[in-house]
């Protein structure tokens, strides 16, 4: 058992930390306030290898591990979780193709992401099918050798800027649940594709979130990712791979909150002394530190397991659920440490609290994670 980073991993962390310090932190508040998409920052990140980190070397990617990815993602999310979600959104869109795509699909679609600083989007959620993925209603009709997709996807990260989407739809009736769900890769310029309004969100406002609308979109077998009816498994395996990334976002938020609180507690005086001298504040700082360290260990274990070929849903859910809930608790306490100042935009902790909330919602709510965990435990017991 060895928790030390390799020299290469240490360099990755240092690169991401330097980029965050110089490019993200100085503009994060302004981008959040105006809900501005960080296109220029992403282009700069692409240039130095901070995007598309898990894409294989065969298509021009870095071929890094999930463990390498989360180490870098923690640093970026320390600066801004909205920018982090934007930067690492390509990895989510690419994952179904990495898991189930053909070599030709990998070369074409993943190669687009490594050839130029462009975006892709993962389109799974729907207005009535967020947590209930098997309840999706996007319809897929087979007409000869073609597939025709009609439906609406909601809460899609990078939707307005994506060059292509990984889209999940259903062959058959909604009552079939997961059995008919199938995955496709869909170019942005395909006839029948349109993008809805941009969502005005509570937090992670630098991240673009919009609907993707499909109206009689015609595709061929070249667009089919995996086999017909196997899309639900692809979606679930994708989430198993991506949930440690959310834990990395939680770690970034918590570490930033703890750093801000420690500095403030040493500077802020009340009743004739720094508030850091009060046990009530010390206990809050200690709780923050424990939640961060515990989440980081869960994140590292889940990421390490993936690298060992153990795609384990329960470990990913441990990291995601505990990390998301911990980040929300830590960010809320950070506002409390700052008192009235924490409730204003003069200090960054109010943004941390707003950004943290989304971690408990996207890619499977904290409640869904608990269902996944419980079902795995019961299956093992049986």
């Amino acid at each position: 058992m060895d928790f030390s980073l390799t020299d290469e991993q240490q360099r990755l962390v240092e690169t991401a930390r330097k980029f965050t310090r110089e490019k993200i932190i100085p503009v994060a508040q302004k981008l959040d306030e105006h809900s501005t998409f960080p296109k220029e920052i992403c282009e700069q990140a692409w240039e130095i290898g901070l995007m598309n980190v898990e894409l294989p070397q065969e298509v021009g990617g870095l071929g890094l591990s999930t463990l390498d990815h989360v180490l870098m993602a923690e640093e970026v999310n320390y600066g801004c979780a909205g920018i982090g979600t934007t930067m690492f959104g390509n990895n989510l869109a690419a994952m179904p193709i990495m898991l189930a795509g053909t070599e030709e699909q990998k070369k074409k679609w993943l190669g687009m992401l490594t050839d130029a600083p462009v975006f892709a989007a993962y389109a799974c959620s729907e207005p009535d099918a967020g947590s209930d993925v098997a309840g999706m209603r996007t319809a897929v009709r087979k007409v000869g050798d073609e597939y025709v997709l009609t439906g609406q996807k909601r809460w899609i990260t990078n939707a307005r800027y994506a060059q292509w989407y990984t889209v999940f739809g259903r062959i058959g009736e909604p009552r079939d649940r997961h059995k008919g769900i199938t995955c496709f890769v869909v170019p942005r310029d395909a006839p029948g594709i349109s993008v809805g309004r941009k969502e005005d969100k509570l937090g992670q406002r630098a991240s673009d979130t919009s609907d993707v609308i499909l109206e009689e979109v015609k595709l061929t077998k070249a667009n089919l990712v995996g086999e017909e009816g196997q899309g639900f498994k692809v979606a679930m395996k994708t989430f198993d791979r991506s949930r440690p990334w959310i834990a990395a976002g939680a770690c970034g938020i918590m570490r930033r909150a703890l750093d801000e609180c420690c500095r403030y507690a040493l500077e802020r005086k009340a009743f004739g002394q720094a508030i850091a001298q009060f046990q009530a504040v010390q206990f809050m700082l200690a709780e923050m530190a424990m939640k961060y360290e515990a989440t980081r260990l869960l994140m590292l274990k889940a990421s390490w397991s993936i690298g060992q070929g153990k795609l384990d849903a329960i470990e990913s859910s441990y990291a995601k659920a505990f990390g998301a809930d911990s980040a929300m608790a830590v960010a809320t306490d950070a506002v409390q440490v700052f008192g009235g100042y924490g409730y204003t935009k003069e200090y960054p902790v109010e943004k941390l609290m707003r950004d943290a909330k989304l971690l408990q919602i996207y890619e499977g709510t904290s409640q869904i994670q608990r269902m996944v965990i419980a079902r795995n435990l019961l299956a093992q017991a049986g």
Side-chain angles (χ1 to χ4, degrees), residues 13-74:
V13 169
E14 290 170 358
T15 298
R17 185 170 295 175
K18 183 174 185 289
F19 183 84
T20 298
R21 182 175 63 249
E22 295 178 356
K23 303 295 184 180
I24 295 178
I25 291 177
V27 300
Q29 193 73 24
K30 183 177 180 181
L31 295 181
D32 176 82
E33 182 180 350
H34 298 287
S35 192
T36 303
F37 187 75
K39 187 171 185 294
E40 183 178 343
I41 290 175
C42 290
E43 290 172 349
Q44 294 171 339
W46 182 87
E47 290 286 348
I48 63 172
L50 290 179
M51 290 182 62
N52 312 312
V53 294
E54 291 192 47
L55 269 61
Q57 294 179 341
E58 292 77 14
V59 299
L62 296 178
L64 299 182
S65 68
T66 303
L67 181 55
D68 298 328
H69 182 176
V70 298
L71 292 171
M72 297 165 68
E74 177 183 338

Side-chain angles (χ1 to χ4, degrees), residues 67-68 73 90 221 295 344:
L67 181 55
D68 298 328
N90 282 2
K221 286 187 177 180
T295 298
T344 71

Side-chain angles (χ1 to χ4, degrees), residues 94-107 109-110 183 185 222-227 234:
M95 192 54 64
I97 298 175
M98 291 173 61
L99 292 171
T102 64
E103 292 305 313
E104 291 76 13
Q105 288 173 334
K106 293 174 183 177
K107 184 177 179 181
W109 302 104
L110 303 186
C183 181
V185 56
N223 300 97
L224 177 65
V225 179
E227 300 177 9
V234 173

Side-chain angles (χ1 to χ4, degrees), residues 272-318:
Q273 61 182 328
I275 64 171
Q277 300 304 313
F278 295 113
Q279 191 179 70
V281 173
Q282 291 175 355
F283 279 16
M284 293 171 77
L285 297 177
E287 288 289 341
M288 291 178 187
M290 289 190 291
K291 286 182 170 65
Y292 165 72
E293 291 292 342
T295 298
R296 195 167 191 273
L297 288 171
L298 286 170
M299 173 192 77
L300 293 175
K301 185 171 188 286
S303 301
W304 176 84
S305 294
I306 290 170
Q308 299 301 306
K310 303 172 184 176
L311 196 58
D312 196 331
I314 195 169
E315 288 193 359
S316 292
S317 289
Y318 284 152

Side-chain angles (χ1 to χ4, degrees), residues 170-186:
R170 174 186 302 285
I171 299 174
E173 299 297 323
R175 62 174 177 271
D176 294 335
R177 300 292 291 167
H178 64 276
K179 293 181 181 179
I181 294 175
T182 305
C183 181
F184 299 89
V185 56
V186 183

Side-chain angles (χ1 to χ4, degrees), residues 229-247:
Q230 298 300 306
F232 185 81
K233 292 181 180 179
V234 173
M236 294 302 102
K237 287 181 180 179
T238 296
F239 287 137
D240 290 343
R241 283 287 296 268
S242 67
R243 281 168 178 158
W245 309 345
I246 310 302

